Amino acid sequence: MKSFHEPPSSEITDEKVYLQRRRYLRWGAAGALGLAVGGVATLGLRQGDEAPQASEAHPADPPPKRWQDLPHSRFSTDEALTDWESVTGYNNFYELGAGKEAPARNAHRLETDPWSVTVDGEAERPGKLHLEDLLQSMPLEERIYRLRCVEAWSMVIPWVGFPLAALLKRFRPTSRAKYVAFETLYDPSRLPAQNRPILDWPYREGLRMDEAMHPLTLLAVGLYGRPLPGQNGAPLRLVVPWKYGFKSIKSIVRIRFTETQPPATWNQLQPEEYGFYANVNPAVEHPRWSQKRERRIGEVFKRDTLPFNGYAEQVADLYKDMDLAKQF
Amino acid sequence: MRTIPRQSSLVFGLSLMPLAGLVAAFLLGGLGANPAEALIRQLGDWTLRFLLITLALRPAQHWLGWRLLRHRRMLGLFAFFYAVLHFAAYAVLDAGLDPGYILDDIAKRPYITVGLVGLALLFALAFTSASGLRRRLGVWWRRLHWAIYPAAALGVMHFFMLTRADYREPAVYAMLLSALLLLRIRPAPGSVQKKPPINGGKGHAEKRVEENRE
């Protein structure tokens, strides 16, 4: 466990210290004054909503043996990792509550054992997969990907998972399978915010077949060498690093091969704001906010957003005949 | 030379506490994983809260019988103060002080346009808040300062427009503002006259000036 964790965490500490110093310089005397006056006020202001409860999220058990020394992927970025506390404390998972800190608070409700995934639709061998069998049979690897949220923030996350293609091939999709549809668990007792009609539950997403079969497309079962915490989409979630985060559907219970484009939750709610493709694209603005820049969690100022979130070299070909301003 | 009443100093100090708390939390890492975003958001929250507090003073004075209206100008100015900080935090932390980025946002993002119009209204109110100007503007002053309602409404609208799916929080502000506006439109019968005169036999107009003196 230690051997796996040490290098990333040391990088993180450095960056934090570095940022703190820069902040102090920037705010200078005003900051010092604020500290003096505001010490007391801070106590009152820091409600549960503002401090991520990382300790709750951190699994007490050590990671499974076979998750140690996972092979590293050639697709991994060498950028500094976003720290564990942020990755597991700042999440959009509306099923576990709106607001970035609510999912971590409510994650204990999401019981994931037992868990199975139904795979059906246009395939020769549809079936039901039990999570344990899946974990035993798929070769796990670590992949460090950038994640770009549609809300203009981003992270660098060391996922544990396997390529979606490896799983999909097992079910022998037919020639009529043009898309793959995904569905999140619908169970208000385990995903309590499903009691309120914030979104059209259950959450649904979809990929075109070539996107689903692309080697970058990952099914993640863990991060930082540990099983996925509930707030990150336990026990099984999609990770499509060149698309906005909402495409990477969490807590999947159903995968279906379809002939026509499947419905996607945010796309259905506000089609002019959230496209079906949702490729990260600084040139196509969200109607309400700019997508030109993003805030990397851990940094104060925004940085430029890259086309396809920096994965253009690998995926731009998938869209070469499309007008990405229209099919966004 | 006027001395500043102790109560006004207290209100002034209390009004600065949210800022002090936010700055301290920002520097000490108490604002979560995305402190820049949290700082901008919470300065916006405090703008709306101060606007609602300012608007609530008249009904609160009526019900509680405390002389609260004399703090109205200061609290209104604090609403403007937090609005300016909210915009400044956005301009620095989100836009990196890039004028092109900010102008682009104002032109293209309706929620930013709406927020900025609200800020402009608050600026007009703050600019004309001095006693001398108030006397000179006469009846126009009251008409102009009614604009605190549209300013607050624009602020709430701004919040609605940037929300993605869960509208409960902006809805709370909208309900409170609507309630205050309804109280304003239909005051309880004789709401002003019924109260015992605060300063003996002075006329109504004089009393108002008195109430607002700091």
Side-chain angles (χ1 to χ4, degrees):
Chain A
M1 169 171 122
K2 249 196 164 176
S3 61
F4 179 69
H5 274 285
E6 227 143 53
S9 52
S10 66
E11 283 177 36
I12 296 154
T13 313
D14 282 343
E15 173 141 0
K16 263 194 167 172
V17 172
Y18 171 69
L19 281 170
Q20 291 263 338
R21 282 169 57 202
R22 282 174 65 194
R23 280 184 209 158
Y24 275 109
L25 280 173
R26 204 169 291 122
W27 287 82
L33 188 73
L35 281 180
V37 187
V40 186
T42 319
L43 294 172
L45 279 171
R46 287 192 61 178
Q47 297 146 358
D49 237 27
E50 284 145 27
Q53 299 292 308
S55 53
E56 278 174 31
H58 216 300
D61 305 325
K65 261 230 167 75
R66 61 181 286 255
W67 288 36
Q68 298 168 33
D69 304 311
L70 290 171
H72 293 261
S73 167
R74 66 193 168 95
F75 294 119
S76 284
T77 170
D78 56 5
E79 285 165 89
L81 300 179
T82 304
D83 59 281
W84 162 272
E85 281 71 25
S86 298
V87 172
T88 60
Y90 189 80
N91 308 96
N92 276 327
F93 194 1
Y94 282 66
E95 286 85 338
L96 285 175
K100 300 290 184 288
E101 281 88 22
R105 273 202 310 275
N106 299 325
H108 63 276
R109 299 280 299 269
L110 177 55
E111 175 62 52
T112 58
D113 188 23
W115 192 277
S116 59
V117 182
T118 303
V119 185
D120 57 5
E122 307 288 350
E124 284 170 27
R125 289 183 183 172
K128 196 168 186 173
L129 278 170
H130 293 282
L131 187 71
E132 282 156 50
D133 304 337
L134 188 68
L135 289 175
Q136 288 304 317
S137 60
M138 301 309 296
L140 297 183
E141 56 181 291
E142 183 183 67
R143 289 213 192 170
I144 304 170
Y145 278 161
R146 291 176 290 275
L147 175 94
R148 169 60 156 81
C149 179
V150 73
E151 295 167 357
W153 53 265
S154 63
M155 294 184 178
V156 178
I157 302 174
W159 300 107
V160 177
F162 50 86
L164 176 65
L167 178 70
L168 295 186
K169 279 174 192 158
R170 281 203 207 168
F171 300 90
R172 300 212 180 152
T174 68
S175 59
R176 285 198 296 192
K178 301 283 195 293
Y179 294 88
V180 187
F182 303 86
E183 226 173 87
T184 295
L185 171 73
Y186 178 73
D187 181 355
S189 71
R190 285 187 280 171
L191 296 171
Q194 285 177 336
N195 278 317
R196 291 187 294 116
I198 307 170
L199 296 172
D200 179 20
W201 316 117
Y203 196 91
R204 297 178 195 86
E205 261 306 339
L207 295 172
R208 214 169 57 190
M209 201 63 188
D210 57 345
E211 297 175 325
M213 303 304 272
H214 193 279
L216 279 180
T217 304
L218 195 73
L219 268 184
V221 293
L223 55 82
Y224 267 109
R226 293 163 178 280
L228 279 178
Q231 62 271 34
N232 295 90
L236 181 75
R237 67 167 293 170
L238 188 66
V239 178
V240 194
W242 72 91
K243 293 176 181 285
Y244 292 120
F246 69 85
K247 290 297 288 185
S248 295
I249 184 169
K250 299 184 174 89
S251 305
I252 298 168
V253 292
R254 190 170 184 201
I255 299 175
R256 187 176 172 83
F257 298 100
T258 66
E259 199 170 4
T260 53
Q261 183 178 303
T265 300
W266 282 102
N267 176 239
Q268 283 197 311
L269 184 72
Q270 282 159 319
E272 69 288 352
E273 297 196 347
Y274 309 101
F276 174 80
Y277 288 96
N279 293 316
V280 175
N281 191 344
V284 174
E285 296 177 336
H286 184 282
R288 285 185 285 164
W289 53 82
S290 170
Q291 297 291 24
K292 288 195 190 80
R293 296 183 194 170
E294 68 200 48
R295 180 173 286 113
R296 179 67 51 86
I297 296 302
E299 296 176 356
V300 173
F301 295 104
K302 290 192 169 184
R303 55 166 72 201
D304 287 341
T305 287
L306 302 173
F308 298 106
N309 198 22
Y311 298 96
E313 203 183 309
Q314 289 92 342
V315 300
D317 269 2
L318 297 175
Y319 311 100
K320 58 179 184 288
D321 301 323
M322 286 168 52
D323 180 355
L324 293 177
K326 289 200 178 96
Q327 290 176 291
F328 56 89
Chain B
M1 212 179 118
R2 268 195 307 155
T3 54
I4 298 166
R6 195 183 294 164
Q7 211 184 78
S8 295
S9 311
L10 183 71
V11 173
F12 187 85
L14 282 176
S15 302
L16 278 175
M17 292 302 265
L19 175 64
L22 280 175
V23 170
F26 182 77
L27 294 170
L28 297 172
L31 288 181
N34 196 344
E37 164 108 8
L39 182 71
I40 297 170
R41 283 283 181 138
Q42 292 188 35
L43 286 169
D45 290 342
W46 282 107
T47 306
L48 290 176
R49 287 169 196 160
F50 273 95
L51 283 169
L52 292 179
I53 291 169
T54 307
L55 289 172
L57 291 180
R58 184 178 293 282
Q61 170 164 307
H62 172 60
W63 289 324
L64 299 171
W66 300 344
R67 292 177 57 202
L68 297 168
L69 277 180
R70 58 190 156 157
H71 301 301
R72 189 166 59 173
R73 171 163 60 186
M74 188 184 1
L75 289 165
L77 283 170
F78 266 110
F80 173 64
F81 173 68
Y82 279 98
V84 169
L85 289 176
H86 173 59
F87 181 77
Y90 149 81
V92 174
L93 299 172
D94 261 11
L97 284 179
D98 175 351
Y101 187 94
I102 296 172
L103 289 174
D104 198 49
D105 259 2
I106 294 169
K108 286 187 192 160
R109 327 270 167 237
Y111 87 90
I112 291 186
T113 319
V114 163
L116 209 70
V117 173
L119 179 63
L121 282 180
L122 289 181
F123 175 78
L125 304 193
F127 189 77
T128 56
S129 65
S131 302
L133 257 176
R134 177 177 183 169
R135 271 194 297 276
R136 259 187 286 166
L137 286 171
V139 68
W140 289 102
W141 191 91
R142 296 190 68 78
R143 287 178 191 167
L144 175 65
H145 278 247
W146 190 82
I148 189 167
Y149 285 98
L154 287 167
V156 173
M157 211 168 121
H158 169 72
F159 194 2
F160 260 105
M161 290 169 80
L162 61 86
T163 301
R164 279 182 72 198
D166 188 341
Y167 293 97
R168 282 179 302 170
E169 223 182 313
V172 168
Y173 286 106
M175 283 188 290
L176 291 173
L177 179 63
S178 312
L180 290 168
L181 190 56
L182 283 174
L183 282 174
R184 180 77 187 169
I185 291 170
R186 289 184 173 280
S191 63
V192 183
Q193 279 78 13
K194 243 183 193 172
K195 288 199 303 99
I198 292 160
N199 42 8
K202 280 191 189 176
H204 187 68
E206 276 172 287
K207 199 173 85 191
R208 278 203 186 287
V209 172
E210 189 79 9
E211 278 170 351
N212 285 284
R213 193 170 283 164
E214 282 170 69

